Amino acid sequence: MNMGSEDKTVQISVDSEQIEGDLTIPDNPDGIIIFAHGSGSSRHSPRNKYVAQNLQDNGFATLLIDLLTPDEDETDRLTGRLRFDIDLLSRRLVTATNWVLNNLDTSNLNIGYFGASTGAAAALIAAAQHPMYINAVVSRGGRPDLAEHIFDRVQAPTLLIVGGNDPQVIELNKWAMERMNAEKKLEIVPGATHLFEEPGKLEEVSKLAGEWFKQYLK
């Protein structure tokens, strides 16, 4: 938590249950970034928290949200099925976005999405459903190809970040970028694998994401 920032856990109602998120709002934020994680991750992921901290240091509010309820998360840990239910994840992200738009502390902030793995596809679908409100999307090691059916509706400038040692995901991102109509850019981080676990690589992701959001959210 930064000095001069507000940090709290929030509950958002979905399908008669609740999902939880960690909301951090620094003084005079330039916008808010909603995190959509994927494939077996959570809002407690050290990687997402590291990127969120860097974005907070750059003046952005962040909402790290679990798109599955606790019961669904337990089911997913056993089956791995729900993490690839892109329609479900995108619906939950839209619900979280509506919460941000109606929350007094965040309603006046420009919104960006940071999606990882399957969460990147959910972010693109949600951005297509909220074209007036989503100003930018950043994908880290994402699967934008899973959102192919809405490529023509995405208006938000989209940055695709992929590790240089993640060849399959590089090809999937190149394939997606060729088909997207929105302003887009592909950044390949040399020497990084899928999770950007190598020293300094997640720092590069944070820098690229921060620059993208500064360009389109301020």
Side-chain angles (χ1 to χ4, degrees), residues 30-31 33 60 110-112 133-138 155-159 182-185 208-218:
D30 293 313
I33 313 304
F60 292 105
N110 292 328
I111 301 173
Y133 296 106
I134 307 307
N135 296 80
V137 175
V138 172
Q155 298 180 25
T158 300
L159 174 64
E183 181 176 349
K184 70 267 188 175
K185 185 177 182 182
L208 291 168
E211 291 172 348
W212 194 258
F213 288 131
K214 283 180 182 178
Q215 183 175 354
Y216 293 105
L217 263 65
K218 289 191 174 183

Side-chain angles (χ1 to χ4, degrees), residues 124 128 147-158 160 174-185:
L124 288 171
E148 176 190 5
H149 61 290
I150 51 79
F151 281 170
D152 61 335
R153 293 165 47 204
V154 176
Q155 298 180 25
T158 300
L160 307 173
K174 286 181 176 178
W175 181 91
M177 195 174 76
E178 289 173 358
R179 289 160 175 79
M180 291 174 63
N181 293 331
E183 181 176 349
K184 70 267 188 175
K185 185 177 182 182

Side-chain angles (χ1 to χ4, degrees), residues 82-95:
L82 294 177
R83 69 189 66 176
F84 286 99
D85 189 338
I86 308 301
D87 288 338
L88 172 64
L89 298 179
S90 61
R91 288 198 307 272
R92 296 288 173 77
L93 185 54
V94 167
T95 299

Side-chain angles (χ1 to χ4, degrees), residues 11 15 29 78 128 162 191 209 214:
Q11 285 81 36
D15 304 324
L78 297 173
V162 187
K214 283 180 182 178

Side-chain angles (χ1 to χ4, degrees), residues 19-21 35 37 41-44 64-69:
I19 55 176
E20 290 194 340
F35 280 66
H37 60 76
S41 186
S42 79
R43 74 182 195 276
H44 302 299
L64 283 81
I65 189 80
D66 284 333
L67 298 177
L68 300 179
T69 67

Side-chain angles (χ1 to χ4, degrees), residues 100-122:
V100 166
L101 290 168
N102 288 287
N103 178 51
L104 288 178
D105 294 329
T106 56
S107 60
N108 64 329
L109 298 177
N110 292 328
I111 301 173
Y113 287 151
F114 184 93
S117 191
T118 52

